[in-house]
């Protein structure tokens, strides 16, 4: 019985360690941390796009569009990465689908500003008259991005709760099996030498 209890203690210890390790690796290293980085980069990419479009509207110089193209490339890359990461997470994938229309609207708005400015001074004045719409569109996009970040925070909390439950159950099993093993060992320590002496 002592051997069985010691085997249970060993098995529970190994299982709990592997379970916590896999949970941390799958949830944090492979999902949460990359997602948080991608969402942050997505927002920064949209900011860079807007800065480039506004810079071109003010100066009329095509070189001012460098941040715009760089930001557009960042946004496309991060969207593809977030799509891949959220493939097995329905709630996060649904939030991404809410985010896409906001991005499409902003892209259309920036493209329209650039087209107006490229048409000459009249178009540049038209672009300046419409630039305030950027604040409303971008705030809507930022709000949806915040909601996605909040979803990620809840996902982290759920993961932590699951890990805590696994840890407490494993700890309870280890304490129970270990206590029984110690009790049996103590009984053997007290009774076995006396019996061996009497047999001898």
């Amino acid at each position: 019985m002592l051997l069985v209890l010691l085997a249970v203690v060993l098995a529970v210890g190994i299982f709990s360690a592997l379970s916590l390790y896999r949970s941390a690796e799958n949830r944090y290293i492979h999902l949460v941390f990359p997602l948080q980085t991608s969402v942050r980069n997505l927002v920064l990419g949209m900011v860079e796009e807007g800065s480039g479009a506004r810079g071109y509207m003010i100066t009329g110089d095509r070189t001012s569009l460098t941040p715009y193209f760089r930001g557009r490339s960042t946004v496309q890359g991060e969207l593809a990465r977030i799509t891949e990461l959220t493939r097995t997470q329905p709630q996060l994938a649904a939030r991404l689908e809410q985010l896409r229309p906001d991005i499409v609207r902003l892209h259309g708005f920036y493209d329209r500003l650039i087209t107006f400015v490229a048409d000459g001074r009249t178009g540049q004045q038209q672009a300046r008259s419409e630039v305030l719409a950027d604040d409303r569109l971008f705030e809507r996009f930022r709000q949806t991005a915040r909601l996605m970040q909040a979803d990620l925070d809840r996902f982290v909390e759920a993961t932590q709760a699951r890990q805590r439950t696994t840890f407490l159950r494993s700890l309870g099993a280890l304490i129970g099996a270990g206590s029984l093993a110690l009790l049996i060992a103590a009984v053997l320590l007290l009774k076995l030498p006396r019996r061996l002496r009497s047999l001898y």
Side-chain angles (χ1 to χ4, degrees):
M1 189 171 179
L2 180 60
L3 287 173
V4 170
L5 286 171
L6 289 174
V8 169
V9 169
L10 181 62
V12 169
I14 292 173
F15 172 77
S16 60
L18 286 174
S19 177
L20 289 171
Y21 171 76
R22 280 198 303 269
S23 176
E25 186 176 39
N26 293 336
R27 297 269 175 158
Y28 292 109
I29 297 173
H30 293 161
L31 183 63
V32 174
F33 294 153
L35 261 178
Q36 287 176 332
T37 302
S38 289
V39 171
R40 188 163 49 248
N41 289 343
L42 184 68
V43 174
L44 291 176
M46 292 305 300
V47 170
E48 199 169 21
E49 274 192 62
S51 298
R54 284 172 180 257
Y56 179 57
M57 181 188 67
I58 293 169
T59 63
D61 183 1
R62 293 286 298 181
T63 58
S64 302
L65 287 173
T66 300
Y68 168 79
F69 292 118
R70 188 168 56 234
R72 178 68 70 97
S73 176
T74 298
V75 168
Q76 289 172 342
E78 296 301 342
L79 274 177
R81 191 170 186 212
I82 294 171
T83 301
E84 180 65 25
L85 288 170
T86 57
R87 191 174 48 186
T88 58
Q89 303 297 327
Q91 184 179 359
L92 296 173
R95 188 69 72 186
L96 177 62
E97 292 310 309
Q98 292 177 3
L99 197 61
R100 285 184 193 277
D102 296 338
I103 294 171
V104 169
R105 278 189 285 270
L106 278 168
H107 281 170
F109 177 76
Y110 295 145
D111 290 345
R112 191 164 64 250
L113 285 184
I114 291 168
T115 302
F116 281 150
V117 175
D119 285 342
R121 185 168 296 279
T122 304
Q124 193 172 22
Q125 291 173 350
Q126 178 68 26
R128 287 176 181 171
S129 68
E130 292 191 13
V131 77
L132 290 178
D134 177 33
D135 295 334
R136 293 192 300 274
L137 291 173
F138 193 83
E139 184 53 37
R140 183 171 177 176
F141 160 77
R142 191 185 288 276
Q143 182 63 31
T144 310
R146 283 196 201 105
L147 290 174
M148 189 164 196
Q149 190 62 53
D151 289 340
L152 276 172
D153 293 339
R154 282 191 293 273
F155 184 79
V156 169
E157 289 171 6
T159 300
Q160 289 173 337
R162 188 175 303 154
Q163 288 179 324
R164 195 178 302 113
T165 301
T166 302
F167 170 73
L168 291 175
R169 284 178 181 167
S170 303
L171 188 62
L174 286 170
I175 289 172
S179 300
L180 279 173
L182 285 173
L183 182 63
I184 293 171
V187 170
L188 288 174
L189 183 63
L190 292 172
K191 294 202 170 185
L192 191 59
R194 190 181 311 144
R195 176 163 304 183
L196 286 174
R197 275 197 302 273
S198 77
L199 287 172
Y200 180 75

